């Protein structure tokens, strides 16, 4: 009578225990939080008045079938309607859901609460709804309420089994020490397997998570380092040390989309993934950018994926938010002044610097983060930037390459291959405006000035040498009229 399989998308009608009193409550999914896997549920109540008192939907099918037998047998099912507002709703969740409703042009919500996804069960709804304001179930509500729900709806007061996360299972790496790391239902081990693709680093993080199982208050000192080795490859180093047990240290390196802030964020990520569930964690870092970004994390979680993409390192912020929500951590970021003589901070800094050379590479599996919804990859390499900006850069690179292949650009191609042209500065010079007020407008004067700069750059000024090549019948001589000695070329002028 009740389907145990909950759909990953859509807005089904459900029966779910209310978080305040643990009583079974009827509702409809209004929206979902892909980070915490929670549902925002619109509360519905059972219709007690006669169903005939409700107005029918304005359809020809209802108008022609009035008095039909199906209208007299609606009491074989139960009717529910939207709750106009009661004491069971959560005001914070209601305000958040109404903001989403306005943004997505949906109807306003009246009574709403939030609950975990895995305690919800879909209700069977009649395929054809006759009435305007009520919904008919396929079975009486009394039959559903008297059903033994102990095997269908787990109590929200009991610990939720996180082993049923919607994440693909990965086999244990071959080089993991099975004697030291026991294959258990530890949530940290599952998250490490699903989010960390580097076997050596995953094994080390599991050992640290096993050692920290008995702690409820933790403190980490984290640091990151960026080393520019060549013109092409930059390497990030990250490290942390646990204040509760200074013997627990970690260091790794990374190369994808390098930046000093990302190195700091990766250090925080690897520290948090080892913390036990419901722990209170304090992160000591000297990166103000990381602390400011962490404080904006609640606002970040409410943004759409299009707006999230505009934020630097948005996949790492999504992964940090996902880890904190899954392990239910209480995280506090504390600023530490760099190179101030703090012993543990200096130790973390040394670990990060040494990690650049001697530590294995940290590779994250971003495809397992549901909040990302979309991630672009090229040859198993994740593109951690805005999809629109990425396609824009690819289009510009293609057009620039086609420009260099033109015959008139042979000299520019040779100089570019020999790295004699700084294209960033050159492009800025060609597209620059004379004043700041010209940036938002395009005038004839601005157009002529920009055309002159491009002709000068491409050696396309209308000198006698150029005009003679185009129309030798009109321009029969190339001698410069002022000196009468040399040809009038761009170099001579």
């Amino acid at each position: 009578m009740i389907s145990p399989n909950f759909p990953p998308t859509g807005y089904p009608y459900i029966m779910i225990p209310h978080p305040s009193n643990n009583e079974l409550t009827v509702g409809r999914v209004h929206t979902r939080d892909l980070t915490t896997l929670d549902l925002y549920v619109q509360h519905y109540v059972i219709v007690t008045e006669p169903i005939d008192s409700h107005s029918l939907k304005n359809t020809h099918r209802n108008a022609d079938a009035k008095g039909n037998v199906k209208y007299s047998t609606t009491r074989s099912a139960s009717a529910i309607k939207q709750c106009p507002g009661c004491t069971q709703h959560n005001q914070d969740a209601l305000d958040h859901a109404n903001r989403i409703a306005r943004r997505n042009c949906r109807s306003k919500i009246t009574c709403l609460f939030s609950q975990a996804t895995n305690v919800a069960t879909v209700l069977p709804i009649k395929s054809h709804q006759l009435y305007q304001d009520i919904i008919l179930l396929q079975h009486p509500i009394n039959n559903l309420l008297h059903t033994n729900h102990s095997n269908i709806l787990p109590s929200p007061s009991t610990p939720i089994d996180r082993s049923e996360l919607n994440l693909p299972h990965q086999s244990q790496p071959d080089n993991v020490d099975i004697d030291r790391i026991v294959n258990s239902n530890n949530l940290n081990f599952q998250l490490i397997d699903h989010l960390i693709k580097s076997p050596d680093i995953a094994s080390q993080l599991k050992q640290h998570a096993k050692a920290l199982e008995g702690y409820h208050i933790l403190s980490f000192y984290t640091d990151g380092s960026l080393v520019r080795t060549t013109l092409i490859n930059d390497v990030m180093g990250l490290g942390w040390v646990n204040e509760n047990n200074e013997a627990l240290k970690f260091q790794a390196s990374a190369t994808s989309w390098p930046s000093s802030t990302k190195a700091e964020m990766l250090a925080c990520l690897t520290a948090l993934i080892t913390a036990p569930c419901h722990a209170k964690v304090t992160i000591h870092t000297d990166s103000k950018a990381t602390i400011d970004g962490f404080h904006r994390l609640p606002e970040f979680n409410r943004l759409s994926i299009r707006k999230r993409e505009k934020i630097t390192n948005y996949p790492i912020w999504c992964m940090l938010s996902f880890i904190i929500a899954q392990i239910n951590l209480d995280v506090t970021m504390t600023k530490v002044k760099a190179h101030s003589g703090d012993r543990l901070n200096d130790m973390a800094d040394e670990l990060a610097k040494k990690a650049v050379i001697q530590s294995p590479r940290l590779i994250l599996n971003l495809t397992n983060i549901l909040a990302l919804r979309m991630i672009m990859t090229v040859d198993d390499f994740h593109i951690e930037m805005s999809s629109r900006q990425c396609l824009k850069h690819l289009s510009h690179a293609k057009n620039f390459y086609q420009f260099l292949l033109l015959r008139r650009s042979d000299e520019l191609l040779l100089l570019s291959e020999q790295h004699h042209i700084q294209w960033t500065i050159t492009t800025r010079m060609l597209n620059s405006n004379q004043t700041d007020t010209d940036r938002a407008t395009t005038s004839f004067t601005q157009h002529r000035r920009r055309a002159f700069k491009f002709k000068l750059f491409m050696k396309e000024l209308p000198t006698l040498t150029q005009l003679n090549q185009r129309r030798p019948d009109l321009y029969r001589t190339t001698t410069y009229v002022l000196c009468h000695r040399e040809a009038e070329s761009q170099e001579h002028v």
Side-chain angles (χ1 to χ4, degrees):
M1 298 176 65
I2 299 179
S3 175
N5 298 322
F6 194 79
T9 58
Y11 311 100
Y13 293 88
I14 61 175
M15 181 178 290
I16 191 169
H18 197 277
S20 61
N21 51 22
N22 200 23
E23 294 182 357
L24 288 175
T25 307
V26 178
R28 186 183 185 185
V29 175
H30 171 67
T31 186
R32 308 163 189 252
D33 192 330
L34 298 179
T35 304
T36 60
L37 302 181
D38 289 343
L39 298 175
Y40 290 95
V41 184
Q42 164 69 55
H43 182 209
Y44 273 71
V45 295
I46 301 174
V47 175
T48 56
E49 64 272 14
I51 300 179
D52 295 338
S53 62
H54 291 266
S55 59
L56 293 171
K57 289 185 177 180
N58 188 19
T59 62
H60 294 289
R61 184 177 181 180
N62 285 340
D64 297 338
K66 185 63 176 176
N68 195 283
V69 66
K70 67 179 180 179
Y71 291 91
S72 61
T73 58
T74 52
R75 280 301 182 185
S76 62
S78 290
I80 59 176
K81 65 179 180 179
Q82 193 172 16
C83 176
C86 65
T87 59
Q88 296 190 22
H89 78 272
N90 182 282
Q91 188 61 41
D92 294 337
L94 180 64
D95 294 340
H96 175 56
N98 281 326
R99 286 194 297 269
I100 298 177
R102 288 193 298 269
R103 187 170 60 201
N104 297 337
C105 299
R106 296 188 62 194
S107 59
K108 187 176 180 180
I109 305 304
T110 57
C111 183
L112 184 135
F113 61 91
S114 61
Q115 181 59 284
T117 304
N118 63 337
V119 296
T121 304
V122 178
L123 287 176
I125 303 297
K126 280 186 173 294
S127 58
H128 174 57
Q129 296 298 321
L130 310 175
Y131 295 94
Q132 189 73 33
D133 300 326
I134 62 176
I135 300 297
L136 298 180
L137 305 178
Q138 291 183 358
H139 306 282
I141 195 70
N142 291 333
N143 294 348
L144 299 176
L145 293 176
H146 287 92
T147 305
N148 183 13
H149 289 282
S150 59
N151 297 328
I152 300 176
L153 295 177
S155 174
S157 60
T158 59
I160 297 174
D161 184 10
R162 299 285 187 170
S163 61
E164 297 182 357
L165 289 174
N166 294 327
L167 301 173
H169 176 72
Q170 295 180 355
S171 59
Q172 188 76 4
D174 298 335
N175 58 346
V176 175
D177 189 356
I178 301 297
D179 295 332
R180 298 189 62 184
I181 301 178
V182 182
N183 185 14
S184 65
N185 291 327
N186 190 303
L187 179 58
N188 297 92
F189 292 179
Q190 298 175 35
L191 289 177
I192 293 171
D193 284 335
H194 296 314
L195 302 181
I196 307 297
K197 297 178 66 175
S198 310
D200 296 339
I201 294 179
S203 174
Q204 186 179 357
L205 290 175
K206 286 182 180 179
Q207 296 179 29
H208 292 336
K210 187 70 176 178
L212 294 173
E213 279 184 349
Y215 293 92
H216 298 288
I217 300 178
L218 293 173
S219 179
F220 294 92
Y221 279 80
T222 65
D223 205 347
S225 177
L226 175 64
V227 177
R228 302 188 180 276
T229 55
T230 65
L231 295 176
I232 301 177
N233 296 323
D234 296 337
V235 181
M236 296 176 291
L238 54 122
W240 55 260
V241 57
N242 181 258
E243 187 178 9
N244 306 75
N245 185 359
E246 296 183 13
L248 296 180
K249 305 175 183 177
F250 175 80
Q251 57 183 168
S253 61
T255 56
S256 300
W257 306 95
S259 70
S260 57
T261 303
K262 183 179 178 180
E264 300 278 356
M265 294 172 58
L266 291 177
C268 297
L269 186 149
T270 52
L272 292 176
I273 204 172
T274 62
C277 294
H278 310 286
K280 186 176 181 180
V281 183
T282 302
I283 300 292
H284 301 271
T285 177
D286 55 11
S287 174
K288 188 176 185 303
T290 303
I291 296 176
D292 294 341
F294 177 80
H295 289 162
R296 292 192 295 266
L297 204 55
E299 179 183 355
F300 173 83
N301 292 331
R302 293 192 293 266
L303 297 177
S304 62
I305 186 62
R306 180 176 178 179
K307 293 183 179 179
R308 288 184 185 181
E309 283 188 332
K310 299 179 181 180
I311 299 176
T312 307
N313 297 318
Y314 80 96
I316 311 301
W317 288 122
C318 288
M319 184 170 286
L320 277 170
S321 179
F322 180 78
I323 293 173
I324 294 173
Q326 292 300 314
I327 314 180
N328 195 14
L329 299 178
D330 182 7
V331 183
T332 304
M333 289 278 187
T334 303
K335 179 71 169 64
V336 178
K337 188 176 180 180
H339 310 292
S340 59
D342 191 310
R343 182 175 58 86
L344 293 181
N345 186 60
D346 293 342
M347 189 182 301
D349 180 67
E350 184 179 358
L351 289 172
K353 290 180 179 178
K354 291 183 178 180
V356 174
I357 303 175
Q358 60 188 23
S359 296
R361 294 285 189 264
L362 172 64
I363 303 176
L364 302 177
N365 192 356
L366 300 178
T367 57
N368 283 338
I369 304 299
L370 300 179
L372 285 177
R373 297 191 181 182
M374 181 192 72
I375 186 73
M376 295 193 301
T377 59
V378 178
D379 296 332
D380 202 27
F381 178 77
H382 297 310
I383 300 177
E384 300 178 19
M385 66 177 300
S386 170
S387 57
R388 298 182 67 185
Q389 290 296 325
C390 178
L391 296 176
K392 182 178 179 180
H393 291 333
L394 290 176
S395 178
H396 287 177
K398 178 182 178 182
N399 295 334
F400 179 69
Y401 178 70
Q402 292 177 347
F403 164 74
L404 290 179
L405 293 181
L406 296 176
R407 185 175 180 181
R408 65 174 63 183
S409 304
D410 290 342
E411 184 177 352
L412 293 177
L413 177 61
L414 179 61
L415 294 175
S416 181
E417 291 176 347
Q418 296 175 355
H419 303 286
H420 290 166
I421 300 179
Q422 178 55 261
W423 283 109
T424 303
I425 299 177
T426 303
T427 304
R428 187 179 306 172
M429 180 272 299
L430 293 174
N431 295 312
S432 63
N433 299 311
Q434 188 173 7
T435 61
D436 293 337
T437 58
D438 294 338
R439 293 182 177 179
T441 60
T442 302
S443 62
F444 290 105
T445 303
Q446 180 183 346
H447 171 71
R448 288 194 297 268
R449 187 181 300 111
R450 185 168 298 180
F452 175 77
K453 287 190 292 185
F454 272 90
K455 291 177 181 179
L456 185 65
F457 177 72
M458 295 296 300
K459 296 184 178 180
E460 293 290 341
L461 289 177
T463 59
L464 287 177
T465 305
Q466 290 284 348
L467 297 175
N468 177 261
Q469 294 179 357
R470 300 174 186 174
R471 294 293 304 271
D473 55 327
L474 294 179
Y475 303 94
R476 300 180 181 180
T477 179
T478 60
T479 304
Y480 192 26
V481 296
L482 295 181
C483 67
H484 301 285
R485 292 193 304 270
E486 299 184 14
E488 182 183 334
S489 60
Q490 183 168 313
E491 290 81 1
H492 182 69
V493 173

